[in-house]
C-alpha cells in the first residue's frame, strides 16, 4: 500500500533531514515537499491526496495552525503531524486544540527526532490502512 | 486624624462674672446716690465700699480676658500635634510688652511663615468646602493646573473634579469619600492641564474639622509626578521589549542549530567510512559546538522567561524542593563524589516552587561544577531566620571560590568567574538573583579563592495563619460564598 506524505517546511535543510528520516520507512512512502502554506494549498487543490501531512509550526507565510483549521473544516480527515523547535506548552496545546494528530519537537538529538518521527508516521499510516 | 480648626473659646465664666459685677456696681452706685444725702450713715459707707470693690473687680476682669486669651494662644502654638515644639517668636519683644501682644505677634509671625510656605512651595495647596468648591488655592495651583486663580475661585461647580481625566474620576471620588469620613488619604491620578496635556498628580487629602468633630473643609496638597510616572512606564516597556526580543531571538536560533546537528549526523551516517578517524573527530567537534550553542540558547530562554512568566505565590516546603534537586542531580553527585549535608530543618517559604527548584539546582549544581580539583565537594545547606517575615538559606561549598575582583559581577548575566576553565552559560547566579529579588529577597556571597564560597539567599515566609473566627461571625470575614 503506497502512501503519499506531504511535508511542509520553509527550511531546505530541515526538509532534507525529514526526507532522510522518512525514507528509512521504505519505498511504500512517497514524499512530496512544499515550502509554504501557499504551495501546500496549491498542491492539495491540484487534486493530490496525501495520506498524511508533516508541517513545521512557523512558516514564512504564516503559522500552520491556520492550515490545521482549514483542513479541519474541509472534512478531509487528514492526520497532521506538527513539528517545531519550540517546546512551549502553549504551542503544543494550541496545535492539539486545532486538530493536530501529533506534535514533535525538533529536539536536541536529530537522530532521536528522526526515529520518533518515523514511529509516528508508521503509526498513523497503519491506522489509515486498518480503517480502509 | 482630622485637624482641628478651632475657634478661641469665649471665656464664659469671665464674661458672666463681669456682667454680674457691672450690674451689682450699678446697684451700688444708685444706692450711693440715694444715701449720699447723709454721707455719715453706715449704709452709705457700705455702699461706697461695695462700689469701690466692684470697680476694682471690674478693672481686673477686663484685663483678665486678654490675659487668658494670651495664655490660650501661647498654649496653642506649643501644641504637640502642631509639631512646633516650644515656639519662640524670632522678633524679640521688649520686656514689659503685654503678654497678649507677645502672643499675637508670635501667631502673626507663624501665620506669615506659613503664608510664605504656601506661596513658594512647588506644590498646590487647596482648601475645599464640603461641596468641593475652592475656598483657597495657593499660587502654585495656577502653574499646576494651568488655570488662573480667578477662574478657579469663580468656577461654579467642582473645579478640580472636572479637570481629572474621566477614567481616573473613580479614584478621585473614592479619595473624597474617605476624606469626608475624616480619613487622611492620598491618591495618584491623571489630570487635564489647561494647555491640553495630561499630567499625573499625587494628592494628599487632609480633612479639617471643628470642635464638634464635623468636617468643615478639606485641604489638598498636590504635587506633579508626571516625570516619575512616565519614566517608570518607559523603563517597564523597555524591559518588556527586551525580554520579548530575547525570547523570540533565542527561539529563532534553535532552527539552525537543528540543521547543523542534523547535517553533521547525516555526514557521519553516509560518509562515516570514508571520513576515517580524523574526519569523525572533526564532525564530533561540529556536534559539540552545536550542543554548546543549544545550551546557551536554552539558558537565555530560561533567564528571559523569568521576566515573562507569572510566578506562583504558594507555600513551598524547601525540604521537598531540595529533595527533588538532589534526586535530579544524583548522577553528578555520584560522579563528583560530592557530600551534601543539610544541617537544619528547612523552612516552608512562599513563592513559586518551580523557581525555587531552579534556584537550588543552580546553587548546588554550581557547588559541584566549580569544585576544587583533588577535593571531594562538601556542600552544606542551612537555614536561619532573617527577621520577622523572611528566612535565610545558606549554601556553603569547599570549591574553587571566587576571585575578589569578580565578586561584584558574578550575579550579572553572562558574567563568568571561571570562564576559561569551566563551561557554563553565565546565567545560573543571575537567575538566582532574579528569582529572589522578584519575591523581595536578596542574594549575597562570601568567598575565599581556593577555599570555597557561601551563598546566602533570603526568601519570604508565608503570612501567619489567620486566627480562627467564631462560626456565627464567619460570614462577615469570608463574604458570601
Amino acid at each position: 500500500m503506497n502512501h503519499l506524505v506531504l511535508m511542509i517546511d520553509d527550511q531546505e535543510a530541515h526538509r532534507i533531514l525529514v526526507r532522510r528520516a522518512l525514507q528509512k520507512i521504505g519505498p511504500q512512502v512517497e514524499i512530496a515537499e512544499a515550502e509554504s502554506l501557499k504551495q501546500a494549498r496549491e498542491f492539495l487543490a491540484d487534486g493530490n491526496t496525501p495520506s498524511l501531512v508533516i508541517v513545521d509550526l512557523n512558516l514564512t507565510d504564516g503559522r500552520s495552525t491556520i492550515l490545521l483549521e482549514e483542513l479541519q473544516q474541509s472534512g478531509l480527515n487528514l492526520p497532521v503531524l506538527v513539528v517545531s523547535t519550540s517546546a512551549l506548552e502553549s504551542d503544543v496545546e494550541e496545535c492539539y486544540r486545532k486538530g493536530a494528530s501529533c506534535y514533535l519537537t525538533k529536539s536536541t538529538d536529530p537522530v532521536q527526532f528522526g526515529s520518533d518521527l518515523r514511529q509516528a508516521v508508521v503509526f498513523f499510516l497503519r491506522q489509515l490502512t486498518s480503517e480502509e | 486624624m482630622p485637624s482641628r480648626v478651632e475657634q478661641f473659646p469665649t471665656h464664659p465664666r469671665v464674661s458672666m462674672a463681669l456682667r454680674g459685677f457691672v450690674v451689682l456696681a450699678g446697684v451700688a452706685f444708685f444706692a450711693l446716690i440715694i444715701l449720699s444725702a447723709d454721707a455719715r450713715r453706715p449704709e452709705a459707707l457700705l455702699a461706697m465700699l461695695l462700689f469701690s470693690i466692684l470697680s476694682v473687680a471690674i478693672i481686673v476682669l477686663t484685663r483678665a480676658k486678654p490675659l487668658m486669651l494670651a495664655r490660650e494662644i501661647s498654649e496653642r502654638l506649643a501644641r504637640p500635634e502642631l509639631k512646633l515644639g516650644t515656639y519662640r517668636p524670632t522678633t524679640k519683644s521688649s520686656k514689659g510688652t503685654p503678654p497678649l501682644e507677645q502672643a499675637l505677634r508670635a501667631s502673626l509671625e507663624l501665620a506669615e511663615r506659613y503664608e510664605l510656605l504656601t506661596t513658594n512651595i512647588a506644590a498646590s495647596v487647596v482648601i475645599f468646602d464640603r461641596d468641593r468648591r475652592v475656598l483657597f488655592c495657593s499660587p502654585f495651583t495656577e502653574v499646576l493646573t494651568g488655570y488662573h486663580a480667578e477662574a478657579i475661585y469663580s468656577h461654579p461647580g467642582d473645579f478640580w473634579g472636572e479637570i481629572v481625566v474621566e477614567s481616573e474620576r473613580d479614584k478621585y471620588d473614592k479619595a473624597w469619600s474617605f476624606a469626608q469620613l475624616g480619613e487622611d488619604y492620598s491618591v495618584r491620578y491623571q489630570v487635564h492641564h489647561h494647555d491640553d496635556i495630561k499630567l499625573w498628580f499625587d494628592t494628599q487629602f487632609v480633612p479639617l474639622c471643628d470642635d464638634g468633630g464635623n468636617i468643615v473643609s478639606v485641604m489638598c496638597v498636590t504635587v506633579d509626578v508626571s516625570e516619575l510616572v512616565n519614566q517608570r512606564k518607559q523603563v517597564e516597556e523597555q524591559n518588556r521589549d527586551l525580554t520579548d526580543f530575547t525570547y523570540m531571538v533565542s527561539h529563532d536560533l534553535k532552527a539552525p542549530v537543528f540543521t547543523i546537528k542534523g547535517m553533521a549526523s547525516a555526514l557521519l551516517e553516509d560518509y562515516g567510512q570514508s571520513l576515517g578517524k580524523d574526519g569523525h573527530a572533526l564532525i564530533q567537534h561540529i556536534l559539540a559546538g552545536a550542543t554548546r550553542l543549544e545550551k546557551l540558547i536554552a539558558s537565555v530562554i530560561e533567564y528571559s522567561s523569568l521576566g515573562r512568566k507569572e510566578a506562583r505565590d504558594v507555600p513551598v516546603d524547601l525540604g521537598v524542593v531540595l529533595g527533588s534537586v538532589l534526586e535530579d542531580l544524583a548522577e553528578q553527585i555520584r560522579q563528583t563524589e560530592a557530600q551534601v549535608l543539610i544541617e537544619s530543618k528547612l523552612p516552608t517559604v512562599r513563592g513559586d516552587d518551580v523557581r525555587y527548584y531552579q534556584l537550588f539546582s543552580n546553587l548546588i549544581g554550581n557547588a559541584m561544577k566549580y569544585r576544587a580539583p583533588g577535593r571531594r565537594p562538601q556542600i552544606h545547606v542551612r537555614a536561619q531566620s532573617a527577621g520577622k517575615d523572611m528566612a535565610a538559606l545558606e549554601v556553603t561549598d569547599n570549591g574553587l571560590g571566587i576571585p575578589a575582583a569578580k565578586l561584584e559581577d558574578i550575579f550579572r548575566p553572562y558574567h563568568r568567574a571561571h570562564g576559561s576553565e569551566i563551561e557554563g552559560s553565565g546565567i545560573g547566579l543571575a537567575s538566582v538573583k532574579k528569582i529572589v529579588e522578584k519575591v523581595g529577597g536578596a542574594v549575597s556571597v562570601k568567598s575565599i579563592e581556593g577555599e570555597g564560597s557561601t551563598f546566602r539567599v533570603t526568601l519570604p515566609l508565608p503570612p501567619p495563619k489567620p486566627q480562627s473566627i467564631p462560626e456565627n461571625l464567619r460570614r462577615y470575614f469570608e463574604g458570601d460564598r
Side-chain angles (χ1 to χ4, degrees):
Chain A
M1 178 76 232
N2 272 11
H3 288 285
L4 176 63
V5 171
L6 172 62
M7 185 227 314
I8 317 168
D9 198 317
D10 52 1
Q11 310 235 13
E12 190 191 342
H14 291 205
R15 291 200 301 274
I16 293 174
L17 292 171
V18 168
R19 181 179 279 277
R20 285 175 65 95
L22 294 180
Q23 272 168 346
K24 294 200 178 113
I25 299 176
Q28 70 273 39
V29 173
E30 202 187 306
I31 303 156
E33 294 179 15
E35 272 183 347
S36 61
L37 291 176
K38 181 162 169 284
Q39 274 192 9
R41 286 186 196 116
E42 283 167 8
F43 182 81
L44 292 169
D46 275 347
N48 294 295
T49 48
S51 315
L52 190 131
V53 175
I54 301 174
V55 63
D56 186 280
L57 182 57
N58 292 309
L59 298 163
T60 38
D61 65 343
R63 218 164 137 83
S64 50
T65 42
I66 303 169
L67 189 67
L68 272 173
E69 285 171 336
E70 286 172 17
L71 288 173
Q72 278 253 297
Q73 284 176 348
S74 70
L76 270 174
N77 202 17
L78 206 46
V80 178
L81 276 61
V82 177
V83 294
S84 176
T85 48
S86 159
L88 279 177
E89 259 180 49
S90 52
D91 286 340
V92 178
E93 261 177 70
E94 191 193 352
C95 290
Y96 277 122
R97 217 176 346 116
K98 299 201 172 156
S101 302
C102 186
Y103 187 106
L104 282 161
T105 20
K106 289 174 181 171
S107 61
T108 52
D109 185 353
V111 173
Q112 183 67 42
F113 169 75
S115 128
D116 290 342
L117 183 62
R118 266 196 304 280
Q119 267 195 320
V121 168
V122 164
F123 173 80
F124 285 107
L125 289 179
R126 232 178 246 151
Q127 263 204 332
L128 282 173
T129 342
S130 61
E131 275 169 25
E132 279 159 13
Chain B
M1 284 297 293
S3 310
R4 298 184 61 190
V5 173
E6 295 171 54
Q7 292 156 330
F8 288 108
T10 48
H11 311 282
R13 283 201 209 110
V14 171
S15 303
M16 263 178 53
L18 205 55
R19 268 183 233 137
F21 287 166
V22 168
V23 165
L24 280 175
V27 167
F29 185 67
F30 276 115
L32 248 182
I33 291 178
I34 291 167
L35 297 168
S36 66
D38 187 358
R40 274 166 297 176
R41 281 178 67 183
E43 293 88 351
L45 286 170
L46 196 62
M48 258 198 307
L49 193 62
L50 193 62
F51 183 67
S52 320
I53 292 171
L54 286 170
S55 308
V56 169
I58 287 167
I59 291 167
V60 168
L61 279 175
T62 46
R63 293 214 155 172
K65 209 166 162 181
L67 270 172
M68 287 183 70
L69 192 64
R71 185 145 57 100
E72 186 79 32
I73 293 177
S74 308
E75 277 174 13
R76 284 290 176 84
L77 292 177
R79 254 194 351 214
E81 61 264 37
L82 280 182
K83 292 189 175 87
L84 295 171
T86 32
Y87 184 77
R88 280 191 208 92
T90 52
T91 47
K92 290 260 177 277
S93 42
S94 50
K95 223 171 153 68
T97 318
L100 181 60
E101 196 182 313
Q102 279 188 37
L104 284 176
R105 266 189 210 281
S107 49
L108 250 178
E109 203 176 293
L110 190 62
E112 277 171 1
R113 200 172 278 202
Y114 276 92
E115 207 203 324
L116 210 65
L117 178 68
T118 49
T119 312
N120 290 292
I121 198 170
S124 146
V125 180
V126 179
I127 300 184
F128 296 94
D129 70 11
R130 297 176 49 163
D131 300 320
R132 301 200 196 180
R133 270 201 303 274
V134 174
L135 295 173
F136 163 79
C137 70
S138 68
F140 198 75
T141 312
E142 292 187 332
V143 175
L144 217 59
T145 60
Y147 291 88
H148 286 300
E150 304 89 58
I152 298 174
Y153 282 121
S154 60
H155 195 273
D158 178 7
F159 165 77
W160 204 271
E162 281 172 23
I163 60 170
V164 173
V165 168
E166 298 74 36
S167 51
E168 306 269 292
R169 204 66 71 81
D170 287 343
K171 261 199 266 180
Y172 180 73
D173 288 336
K174 182 168 149 196
W176 254 102
S177 50
F178 274 104
Q180 276 163 332
L181 292 173
E183 295 276 324
D184 287 356
Y185 200 82
S186 71
V187 63
R188 181 173 291 185
Y189 54 99
Q190 242 187 337
V191 149
H192 289 292
H193 184 95
H194 177 265
D195 301 337
D196 221 16
I197 48 170
K198 286 203 218 163
L199 298 176
W200 283 93
F201 284 175
D202 259 1
T203 295
Q204 173 79 20
F205 286 76
V206 185
L208 306 172
C209 68
D210 63 14
D211 279 356
N214 306 307
I215 312 287
V216 293
S217 53
V218 175
M219 177 162 72
C220 288
V221 183
T222 303
V223 288
D224 176 11
V225 291
S226 304
E227 203 177 313
L228 177 68
V229 170
N230 288 332
Q231 273 179 353
R232 195 177 287 177
K233 288 198 180 188
Q234 224 184 8
V235 168
E236 275 173 5
E237 203 179 300
Q238 278 176 344
N239 258 347
R240 243 199 325 267
D241 283 346
L242 190 62
T243 317
D244 284 346
F245 170 75
T246 326
Y247 200 74
M248 286 276 75
V249 164
S250 36
H251 269 283
D252 289 342
L253 289 174
K254 280 193 189 180
V257 172
F258 181 76
T259 303
I260 294 169
K261 282 184 129 180
M263 292 305 180
S265 303
L267 261 179
L268 268 183
E269 210 179 294
D270 291 356
Y271 302 99
Q273 297 286 42
S274 42
L275 277 173
K277 221 168 64 144
D278 291 338
H280 264 257
L282 289 176
I283 299 211
Q284 290 304 334
H285 279 290
I286 295 177
L287 286 171
T291 302
R292 166 131 182 84
L293 188 54
E294 212 156 30
K295 289 204 180 129
L296 279 173
I297 293 171
S299 65
V300 170
I301 292 178
E302 183 192 309
Y303 186 65
S304 69
S305 81
L306 288 177
R308 287 176 101 237
K309 288 201 211 127
E310 287 290 315
R312 283 160 31 105
D313 186 12
V314 296
V316 178
D317 184 344
L318 288 180
V320 170
V321 168
L322 214 59
S324 327
V325 168
L326 294 178
E327 226 179 84
D328 293 344
L329 292 175
E331 181 58 29
Q332 208 181 350
I333 294 174
R334 192 186 61 82
Q335 276 183 352
T336 59
E337 296 183 2
Q339 278 182 313
V340 181
L341 195 68
I342 303 180
E343 287 178 13
S344 49
K345 181 162 172 357
L346 297 178
T348 297
V349 294
R350 60 187 272 218
D352 187 313
D353 44 338
V354 173
R355 289 191 183 196
Y356 291 160
Y357 174 95
Q358 268 177 306
L359 190 155
F360 284 102
S361 182
N362 281 341
L363 289 180
I364 297 187
N366 275 357
M368 287 188 286
K369 193 155 86 161
Y370 299 100
R371 62 189 180 280
R375 255 206 313 253
R376 277 183 74 174
Q378 279 212 336
I379 304 165
H380 293 240
V381 182
R382 71 186 74 85
Q384 296 166 346
S385 99
K388 195 159 60 95
D389 22 58
M390 302 287 272
L393 282 304
E394 286 190 348
V395 177
T396 306
D397 66 60
N398 61 346
L400 288 173
I402 300 157
K406 306 216 173 152
L407 268 180
E408 228 183 271
D409 285 335
I410 46 161
F411 293 107
R412 294 174 62 185
Y414 314 116
H415 277 251
R416 315 262 344 276
H418 297 281
S420 42
E421 311 99 76
I422 301 174
E423 228 191 75
S425 58
I427 59 113
L429 289 176
S431 296
V432 168
K433 180 163 188 264
K434 218 179 196 181
I435 292 170
V436 301
E437 284 181 357
K438 277 209 169 233
V439 289
V443 61
S444 60
V445 62
K446 286 210 240 312
S447 181
I448 300 175
E449 200 175 359
E451 283 184 27
S453 317
T454 297
F455 286 87
R456 182 186 160 94
V457 297
T458 50
L459 298 172
L461 291 167
K465 275 210 182 78
Q467 292 171 333
S468 59
I469 305 160
E471 200 57 56
N472 56 331
L473 292 177
R474 201 171 283 271
R475 69 177 186 282
Y476 295 111
F477 290 86
E478 292 174 21
D480 291 316
R481 290 194 188 247

